[in-house]
Amino acid sequence: MGLESVILVRHAQSEHHINGLTGGWTDTPITELGHRQAELVAKRLRAELAGVEVRLVTSDFRRAHDTARHIASEFNIEATLDPRLREFGNGVAAWMNAAEARTRFPEPSGPWHPDYRHWPEGETWRDVHTRAGQFLESLSFDGALPIVVSHGGTIDALIACWLRLSAEAFAGVGFAAHVTSITVLQQDEHGSRRVERVNDTAHLNGTEGHISLSQALRD
């Protein structure tokens, strides 16, 4: 292909989304709508990556693994589970009503420090930045194209690490990642890195005229 590429996919709609629970380490499965969303992204990936050998890595949380199963089925492959791809650890706020969590643990005003721990027993921005970086460093580009299924906050961290942003910089930036959105990270032969696309949800809204993934991987 000429480029080292990674495809990131956020998980589909999860039960915590519709039941008013916090996300993070609240480990719920995807909804009926989520399964349809996962089917759509899986079919799009299969259609646009025809003839490309892929491998699949997913967070071990149910909402990510449920989504990955649809992709695995389309490509007739098995997914590898990796806990480094989990969402931000929200400590004692896991499984808590989201409104209650916001009341008990209000967000601070001003810029967030990378070592700030928003939830007791939870993770800091630096914690997530570290494990996202370790995951990317462990990726091999000799062979199949990696498709990675993860979470919104972790996709933030993966993009930041890919762009070589420090934990300090990561604490002040964010990248949109809607359910089953596709983000493509690339590195050329000189080691220069870019984000080819972020938060691509064309498969959900019927948008036409987008650049196909196979074209993007060649450009």
Side-chain angles (χ1 to χ4, degrees):
M1 294 182 189
L3 292 168
E4 294 179 344
S5 302
V6 185
I7 294 177
L8 308 179
V9 179
R10 188 188 174 193
H11 64 79
Q13 184 192 70
S14 174
E15 288 188 359
H16 81 268
H17 289 142
I18 64 173
N19 291 327
L21 302 176
T22 62
W25 286 22
T26 302
D27 192 10
T28 55
I30 61 176
T31 64
E32 182 177 348
L33 174 59
H35 280 287
R36 177 58 183 154
Q37 293 167 340
E39 288 174 2
L40 290 171
V41 72
K43 290 183 182 300
R44 179 183 174 193
L45 290 168
R46 186 69 181 90
E48 295 191 12
L49 295 175
V52 177
E53 183 184 3
V54 304
R55 54 196 172 94
L56 183 60
V57 188
T58 178
S59 158
D60 59 343
F61 281 158
R62 294 178 65 186
R63 56 193 185 273
H65 193 204
D66 285 351
T67 303
R69 280 205 299 267
H70 289 275
I71 301 172
S73 178
E74 282 292 329
F75 286 93
N76 194 28
I77 57 176
E78 294 291 330
T80 299
L81 276 61
D82 195 319
R84 292 174 296 182
L85 295 171
R86 291 180 175 185
E87 183 58 286
F88 267 82
N90 55 344
V92 299
W95 296 98
M96 186 179 292
N97 177 274
E100 178 187 355
R102 286 192 295 269
T103 299
R104 290 184 58 185
F105 310 111
E107 293 186 357
S109 60
W112 283 37
H113 188 277
D115 294 311
Y116 174 72
R117 196 177 306 277
H118 184 62
W119 302 280
E121 302 177 23
E123 291 183 300
T124 66
W125 292 85
R126 193 181 303 279
D127 292 333
V128 181
H129 183 275
T130 297
R131 59 178 167 87
Q134 290 172 344
F135 171 79
L136 288 174
E137 289 174 4
S138 72
L139 273 183
S140 169
F141 294 96
D142 297 330
L145 169 71
I147 298 176
V148 175
V149 182
S150 190
H151 307 261
T154 313
I155 288 174
D156 270 355
L158 290 166
I159 297 172
C161 290
W162 186 257
L163 295 177
R164 303 186 178 95
L165 298 178
S166 66
E168 285 72 17
F170 170 50
V173 301
F175 305 90
H178 298 144
V179 291
T180 68
S181 62
I182 295 172
T183 293
V184 179
L185 311 178
Q186 295 181 322
Q187 177 172 278
D188 66 20
E189 63 272 22
H190 305 293
S192 296
R193 291 180 173 182
R194 67 178 183 178
V195 179
E196 187 279 330
R197 71 182 64 194
V198 64
N199 199 32
D200 182 346
T201 57
H203 48 282
L204 296 183
N205 58 27
T207 299
E208 296 181 357
H210 62 279
I211 298 174
S212 73
L213 294 174
S214 58
Q215 179 181 346
L217 295 171
R218 292 193 301 269
D219 288 347

